């Protein structure tokens, strides 16, 4: 995991995150420390509370991963950052601009890759990119260069004049990413960018995201793929029921919430039930993991532990420990 | 995938109804139009031809003059208004609904530096510009059937633009409140059809019962028909200022209503 600066990024939990309320520098004039800052943000849809007192602080130049189960409020959060959804309560600033009043300026300088494909199926790749180059005010003289560059990002040069309806799902996804980068934004919102991509293209997208971050672009990425967050994100925030419940560099999240080692015990259902029972009596944190029971913080277990396979704890263990939900 | 180059940072202030945003949204319409212009042009020429044949030649053999106007010129100018209505209200309803709900194109554009007001205004401008130009088609067909060319006909694209702007706004508003695309059937049969018949398009409203005649006065299409007819047949007079004013008020009103009603749905 590449570290962007020498700054310490301490592990923070909810109570600590809320201490940011005292920080005065929430609305820097421009390009200051925070690319995104959300304070006490609430969003309700009828009876559903999608975002419930969210505090999110994304420093400039980092790749920030938003991890959470279905319905946690990740997409709603992303849409609030482009002012396509308006918060009921709370303050939001993006790239130093206050939302929703100055959201247009913020949108000019950020790129968005939505979760749901919203490409114009009747147009060709080149046409779509050209339209968006105009929408993002790329000057006329640079427009065709920007389009060619975006086609390169998407690896779609040979299909430049193919109408979108005739592209494969993965190609459409790549075009969607390229569209969000047409104007070389300094902040990119990626809402589950690698869904539906084959492993090779996913790898390519990962290196693209890494490249963005290396060139100083701030990335906010939501994902369901633990591996993606673990590999790419400098900081991961775990979101559940509209709140951030834990946040920190992936390694620190893992050790804080899952310990160092995990003991996986395999066996028949009866044996697993017994192990589960044993774990709860011993006060050990455990979870069902496929055909096994995984006992977290195995390094703290004494001789009474059952036989099993030791492996290092990972972000998935932490995620499940935090949200109580299995992922994927 | 290659790595993108250095980020460009160009912080600058941007305001309301920016030409660049309008042009960007309309460039998409132009690209789509480039794909479908043949079909659009075909139907906008063939439709008035059929009307002219059916009404002009059919009725024309029974009715020679209507309100002191020969029947073929009367119908040809009426069909202009019909063409304007259909080429603006229908795209207003269907294109808006499809792009917003099915293709989510509007969602994509609103993530860019384009606001709701710009998006809807640009879409309305494009449709009404097109409606203005296509409003000329029935006149050209009419000329082929013996209509006398007049300098005033050059005003028709302008009249069509203003009327079309109002009707596309009406269509956008309907799309914003429609639950499903099938709801448009109610509007088409209960609102648009009577509207285009009771406007002096194919028969004068003066012979209709009192209530209907008064209803025609609040029908923007009626004012469009009067204006187009007077302009195309060389009979512009002071009453046409009133017709023009009604159309302008209608256009501005529908513009604001469209932005308000769809805006509420686009931003949640
Ligand atoms: N426009 C809307 N109208 C009503 N409810 C909504 C709307 N948008 C989101 N919600 C609700 O808000 C909650 C959060 O949804 P959101 O899409 O933000 O979750 P998510 O974390 O992105 O989930 P996923 O991982 O499935 O994409 C869900 O309960 C969802 O049903
Ligand atoms: Mg989502």
């Amino acid at each position: 995991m590449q570290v962007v600066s020498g700054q310490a990024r301490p592990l923070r939990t909810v109570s600590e995150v809320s201490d940011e309320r005292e920080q005065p520098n929430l609305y820097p004039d421009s390009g200051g420390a925070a690319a995104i800052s959300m304070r006490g943000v609430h969003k309700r849809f009828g009876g559903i509370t999608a975002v419930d007192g969210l505090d999110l602080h994304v420093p400039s130049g980092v790749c920030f991963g938003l991890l959470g189960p279905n319905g946690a409020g990740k997409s709603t959060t992303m849409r609030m950052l482009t002012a396509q959804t308006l918060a009921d309560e709370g303050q939001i600033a993006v790239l130093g601009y206050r939302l929703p009043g100055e959201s247009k300026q913020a949108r000019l300088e950020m790129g968005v890759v939505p979760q749901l494909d919203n490409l114009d199926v009747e147009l060709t790749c080149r046409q779509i990119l050209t339209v968006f180059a105009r929408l993002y005010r790329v000057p006329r003289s640079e427009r065709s260069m920007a389009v060619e560059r975006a086609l390169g990002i998407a690896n779609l040069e040979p299909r430049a004049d193919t109408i979108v309806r005739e592209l494969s799902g993965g190609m459409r996804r790549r075009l969607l990413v390229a569209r969000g980068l047409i104007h070389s934004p300094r902040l990119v919102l990626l809402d589950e960018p690698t869904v539906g991509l084959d492993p090779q293209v996913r790898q390519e997208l990962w290196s693209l995201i890494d490249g963005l971050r290396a060139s100083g672009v701030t990335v906010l990425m939501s994902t369901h793929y633990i591996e993606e967050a673990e590999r790419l994100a400098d900081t991961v925030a775990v979101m559940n029921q509209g709140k951030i419940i834990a946040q920190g560099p992936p390694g620190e999240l893992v050790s804080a919430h899952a310990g160092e080692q995990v003991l996986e015990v395999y066996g028949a259902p009866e044996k697993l039930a017994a192990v589960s029972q044993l774990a709860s009596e011993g006060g050990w944190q455990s979870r069902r993991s496929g055909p096994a029971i995984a006992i977290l913080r195995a390094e703290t277990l004494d001789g009474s532990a059952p036989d099993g396979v030791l492996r290092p704890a990972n972000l998935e263990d932490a995620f499940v420990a935090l949200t109580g939900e299995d992922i994927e | 995938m290659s790595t993108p180059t250095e980020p460009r940072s160009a912080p600058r202030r941007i305001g309301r109804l920016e030409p660049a945003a309008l042009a960007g949204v309309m460039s998409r319409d132009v690209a789509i139009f480039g794909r479908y212009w043949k079909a659009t042009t075909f139907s906008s020429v063939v439709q008035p031809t059929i009307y002219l044949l059916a009404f002009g030649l059919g009725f024309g053999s029974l009715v020679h003059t209507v309100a002191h106007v020969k029947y073929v010129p009367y119908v040809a100018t009426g069909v202009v208004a019909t063409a304007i209505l259909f080429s603006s209200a229908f795209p207003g309803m269907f294109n808006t609904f499809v792009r917003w709900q099915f293709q989510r194109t509007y969602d994509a554009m609103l993530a860019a530096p384009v606001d709701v007001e710009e998006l809807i205004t640009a879409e309305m401008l494009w449709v009404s510009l097109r409606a203005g130009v296509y409003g000329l088609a029935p006149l050209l067909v009419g000329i082929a059937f013996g209509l006398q060319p007049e300098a005033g006909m050059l005003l028709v694209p302008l009249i069509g633009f203003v009327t079309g702007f109002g009707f596309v706004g009406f269509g956008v508003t309907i799309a914003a409140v429609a639950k499903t695309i099938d709801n448009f059937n109610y509007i088409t049969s209960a609102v648009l059809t009577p509207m285009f018949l009771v406007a002096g398009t194919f028969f004068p409203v003066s012979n209709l019962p009192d209530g209907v005649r008064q209803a025609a006065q609040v029908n923007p299409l009626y004012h469009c028909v009067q204006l187009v007819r007077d302009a195309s047949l060389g009979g512009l007079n002071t009453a046409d200022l009133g017709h023009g004013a009604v159309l302008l008020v209608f256009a501005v009103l529908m513009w604001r209503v469209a932005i308000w009603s769809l805006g509420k749905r686009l931003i949640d």
Side-chain angles (χ1 to χ4, degrees):
Chain A
M1 182 100 295
Q2 188 182 334
V3 173
V4 145
S5 69
Q7 273 179 354
R9 281 184 305 270
L11 174 71
R12 291 181 295 180
T13 58
V14 180
S15 58
E16 286 162 320
V17 169
S18 62
D19 287 341
E20 284 181 7
R21 284 168 205 280
E22 269 73 63
Q23 289 186 6
N25 188 27
L26 274 166
Y27 298 115
D29 283 327
S30 81
I36 296 173
S37 135
M38 301 176 87
R39 274 197 309 164
V41 173
H42 287 259
K43 180 66 192 181
R44 283 171 284 271
F45 294 106
I48 296 170
T49 300
V51 171
D52 189 13
L54 183 74
D55 289 292
L56 183 69
H57 193 76
V58 178
S60 278
V62 304
C63 177
F64 195 101
L66 208 50
L67 206 56
N70 288 134
K74 305 182 294 296
S75 297
T76 304
T77 303
M78 297 267 190
R79 281 176 61 85
M80 285 199 281
L81 295 173
T82 53
Q84 289 177 278
T85 287
L86 301 178
D88 297 322
E89 265 177 66
Q91 277 115 40
I92 305 177
V94 174
L95 297 172
Y97 300 110
R98 276 166 194 267
L99 263 51
E102 300 174 334
S103 71
K104 202 169 161 193
Q105 274 87 355
R107 279 178 278 144
L108 183 67
E109 296 168 44
M110 76 172 136
V112 179
V113 180
Q115 179 173 7
L116 298 173
D117 177 339
N118 55 21
L119 294 166
D120 241 310
V121 291
E122 294 162 284
L123 296 181
T124 66
C125 301
R126 196 191 298 281
Q127 286 177 317
I128 288 184
L129 293 172
T130 308
V131 167
F132 275 79
R134 296 186 75 125
L135 290 177
Y136 279 107
R137 319 289 199 270
V138 176
R140 180 192 295 270
S141 56
E142 296 167 27
R143 236 174 259 156
S144 66
M145 240 173 56
V147 169
E148 291 309 318
R149 194 182 58 90
L151 285 168
I153 290 174
N155 264 346
L156 282 172
E157 291 108 326
R159 309 301 294 269
D161 297 309
T162 303
I163 143 167
V164 167
R165 192 180 283 123
E166 292 163 13
L167 295 179
S168 76
M171 291 175 187
R172 287 173 71 144
R173 199 78 211 160
R174 272 147 48 193
L175 181 60
L176 201 62
V177 172
R179 192 186 69 182
L181 299 175
I182 186 83
H183 56 308
S184 309
R186 52 192 186 103
L187 166 66
V188 183
L189 309 182
L190 301 165
D191 199 353
E192 306 196 17
T194 60
V195 171
L197 295 182
D198 67 41
Q200 196 210 327
V201 179
R202 177 172 300 165
Q203 292 281 357
E204 285 173 4
L205 191 55
W206 286 353
S207 47
L208 174 73
I209 295 170
D210 214 43
L212 284 173
R213 201 256 320 262
S215 63
V217 176
T218 310
V219 178
L220 174 63
M221 173 182 72
S222 85
T223 181
H224 277 144
Y225 298 110
I226 302 269
E227 190 193 353
E228 191 163 285
E230 212 157 27
R231 287 233 200 154
L232 291 175
D234 302 299
T235 305
V236 170
V238 178
M239 191 167 180
N240 198 20
Q241 297 179 355
K243 286 193 194 68
I244 303 248
I245 53 171
Q247 173 176 325
E252 291 177 24
L253 271 185
V254 174
S255 48
H257 299 281
E260 306 303 327
Q261 300 278 317
V262 169
L263 181 68
E264 284 188 338
V265 184
Y266 291 83
E270 311 82 64
K271 179 177 176 200
L272 294 186
V275 172
S276 215
Q277 175 73 19
L278 191 66
S280 61
E281 279 164 10
W284 311 328
Q285 233 178 324
S286 74
R287 70 173 176 102
R288 188 72 197 236
S289 164
I293 295 282
I295 300 172
L296 308 187
R297 302 181 195 281
E299 68 277 7
T300 62
L301 296 178
D302 49 28
S304 62
D307 284 339
V309 184
L310 270 182
R311 63 161 174 83
N314 60 34
L315 192 55
E316 185 173 349
D317 299 312
F319 180 86
V320 176
L322 280 162
T323 64
E325 293 196 43
D326 269 312
I327 197 149
E328 296 286 289
Chain B
M1 294 189 192
S2 61
T3 302
T5 51
E6 278 290 285
R8 184 176 56 97
S9 91
R12 62 195 164 110
R13 295 271 133 184
I14 46 185
R16 267 180 75 179
L17 282 176
E18 274 183 287
L22 299 178
V25 175
M26 286 169 81
S27 75
R28 181 193 159 279
D29 291 311
V30 172
I32 299 260
F33 183 67
R35 196 165 284 281
Y36 298 116
W37 68 271
K38 282 183 193 147
T40 314
T41 309
F42 177 81
S43 72
S44 68
V45 172
V46 167
Q47 216 171 1
T49 308
I50 291 173
Y51 279 125
L52 276 174
L53 286 173
F55 287 90
L57 303 184
F59 269 122
S61 61
L62 302 172
V63 189
H64 292 281
T65 57
V66 175
H68 313 295
V69 175
K70 286 225 175 70
Y71 196 58
V72 167
Y74 186 88
V75 170
T77 47
V79 173
V80 169
T82 313
I84 292 167
L85 171 71
F86 288 154
S87 60
S88 52
F90 283 115
M93 295 192 294
F94 288 94
N95 291 359
T96 304
F97 202 81
V98 168
R99 289 168 187 183
W100 162 41
Q101 297 271 27
F102 299 156
Q103 300 186 347
R104 285 187 290 271
T105 311
Y106 290 164
D107 239 22
M109 296 217 198
L110 291 174
V114 174
D115 55 34
V116 168
E117 188 178 34
E118 288 165 338
L119 172 68
I120 297 174
T121 305
E123 292 284 79
M124 288 177 62
L125 278 175
W126 168 252
V127 170
S128 45
L129 283 171
R130 226 182 51 175
V133 172
Y134 277 116
L136 282 173
L139 287 183
L140 296 176
V141 174
I143 288 171
F145 279 88
L147 182 67
Q148 196 65 35
E150 273 284 341
M153 288 178 180
L154 296 173
L155 283 175
V156 166
L158 179 65
I159 302 166
F161 170 76
V162 176
T163 312
F165 199 78
F167 279 117
V168 63
F170 172 78
V172 170
T173 306
I174 298 303
V177 298
K179 295 269 187 301
T180 72
I181 205 158
D182 299 321
N183 287 3
F184 296 152
N185 290 335
Y186 295 116
I187 299 299
T188 308
S189 49
V191 181
L192 296 183
T193 307
M195 202 178 234
F196 103 86
L197 288 174
V198 187
T201 36
F202 303 111
F203 48 85
V205 295
S206 52
N207 300 340
L208 296 172
D210 261 2
V212 182
R213 219 170 56 216
Q214 270 138 29
Q217 295 297 320
V218 295
N219 177 0
L221 199 64
Y222 166 77
H223 299 279
C224 174
V225 170
Q226 299 307 312
L227 206 49
V228 167
R229 194 161 284 152
D230 289 346
S232 306
L233 306 180
L236 281 175
N237 57 68
T238 48
D240 291 314
L241 288 175
H243 297 310
V246 171
L247 292 176
L248 274 175
V249 169
F250 172 61
V252 171
L253 190 71
M254 290 324 298
W255 177 46
R256 297 321 303 180
V257 171
I259 290 170
W260 176 75
S261 54
L262 187 57
K264 267 195 323 193
R265 308 281 316 267
L266 286 172
I267 307 287
D268 49 28

